[in-house]
Amino acid sequence: MIAVVSALGMTAVLGGCGLTGGSDEVTLRLVAADYGDSAANSSKKYWDSLVEEYEKDHPDVTVEVSVYSWTEVDRKVKELVDAGKAPDLAQIGAYADYAKAGKLYTASELLSITTQADFVSQLAAAGAVNGTQYGMPFASSTRLLFYNKSLFEEAGITPPETWEELAADAEALKADGVKYPYALPLGPEEAQAETMQWLLSGGGGYTDTNTGTYGIDSADNVETFDWLKDELVDKDLTGPVAPASLNRADAFAAFTDGEVGMLNGHPSLMKAAAAKGVEFGMVPMPGADGPSRVSMGVADWMMAFKQNGHAEEIGDFLDFVYDDKNVLAFSREYDLLPVTNSVWDTMSAAKEDADLRPFLKALPASELYPVGRTSWAAVSAAVKEKIGKAVAPGASPSTVLRELQVTAVAEENAE
């Protein structure tokens, strides 16, 4: 998820929308994710305030918002859809399955031209299936290399720009007794993210940029994982926990405890590290020959189901949701990146958003998961399960990547 732990709450029963009091009165039901980490900053407060303001100017429209945790929300929406009780709107992690099944409105059927045109182009493109946008980006994030400034100063090293420099820094940190010179979380929690960041830094990725098809076992990707295994893992520069067993949350916790020299992180790590007194810096992910030109981007999605109708009311409400002041308020509340160009411009220039500026700078050149493919869910699950084995002792990265490519092609052909 963008990669935060979220909580979504939903009412016990979400029935089909319909008339609520008079022939012109409409109730819209929205299932939304909670980006807060406590009751004090739950997304419920954000939505309550937004809906209250919207309903003042739209007395014939009632918007009922239900919030669940990220561990529940996708499942809850699926249960409702399967039961024939789809919500009008869902703000969750994936949209492609519903789009392929013909259950969603397109963005152009709902949004004003100005709203749809304002989406950051990479995010809008990632929300499209076969060239038609169904997923509307709601929150986004990018990844940068975090490093512990104190540990770097003690080791007499500077932030790396290339893989070779990263390995040399890791060697120096290890010699200084740092527990995790470079934390490499390839455990099942979010291995697909760490993998993608490394693949991009090596000039590859999950898909072939020319053909658009999966290319997990490409020469660039094999070279990247050969280097990871030979130069970091086999030289004991990734810490005491095997990458296949190290999850992102544990790697982040170790960083905030001052035990990690370097790792890939997203904006939420800034606040967690600062709260523990860790002085940190952030730089673009090093590449084979210099800083990576492409960062990994992540987005969560808003979608609208056709089952209950109300396209006009849904579209009007979404135009309000994506109003600059609302996008800005949400992004600042949860240290996330905006999904619209206009708010990106505002935050890029604002002093109060200076901490996010490196992530904002990376967003326009970011690449997202191939979320427009219904096969991606299965491919992502396979990566989480198997990719850690690619750097295990005695393993062959090319063999593991080839197995994942076979899985990806099979899933794609099964669509």
Side-chain angles (χ1 to χ4, degrees), residues 166-167 169-171 173-174 178-186 194 198 227-247 250-251 254 259-263 388 391-393:
L166 187 149
D169 284 350
E171 288 276 13
L173 291 164
K174 179 185 176 183
V178 175
K179 188 174 181 179
Y180 294 91
Y182 177 85
L184 183 65
L186 295 179
E194 182 73 12
W198 275 99
W227 187 90
L228 264 177
K229 184 178 186 303
D230 295 342
E231 302 300 325
L232 288 186
V233 181
D234 287 353
K235 292 183 178 180
D236 196 27
L237 299 178
T238 55
V241 179
S245 300
L246 182 64
N247 282 321
D250 295 328
E259 298 176 336
V260 174
M262 299 173 280
L263 87 171
V391 296

Side-chain angles (χ1 to χ4, degrees), residues 379-391:
V379 174
S380 176
V383 172
K384 291 179 182 181
E385 178 186 355
K386 296 181 179 180
I387 196 63
K389 300 173 184 176
V391 296

Side-chain angles (χ1 to χ4, degrees), residues 360-385:
L360 288 161
K361 184 178 180 180
L363 183 62
S366 63
E367 183 172 323
L368 281 74
Y369 300 129
V371 291
R373 299 173 181 268
T374 55
S375 59
W376 170 242
V379 174
S380 176
V383 172
K384 291 179 182 181
E385 178 186 355

Side-chain angles (χ1 to χ4, degrees), residues 86-142:
D88 298 279
L89 293 153
Q91 186 268 298
I92 52 179
Y95 67 86
D97 284 346
Y98 299 123
K100 184 182 179 184
K103 296 181 180 296
L104 301 180
Y105 285 112
T106 67
S108 60
E109 289 177 307
L110 302 169
L111 303 175
S112 68
I113 294 174
T114 53
T115 297
Q116 188 174 3
D118 198 26
F119 287 132
V120 174
S121 60
Q122 283 84 348
L123 304 181
V129 176
N130 297 325
T132 300
Q133 186 180 357
Y134 295 90
M136 293 161 279
F138 182 75
S140 67
S141 179
T142 54

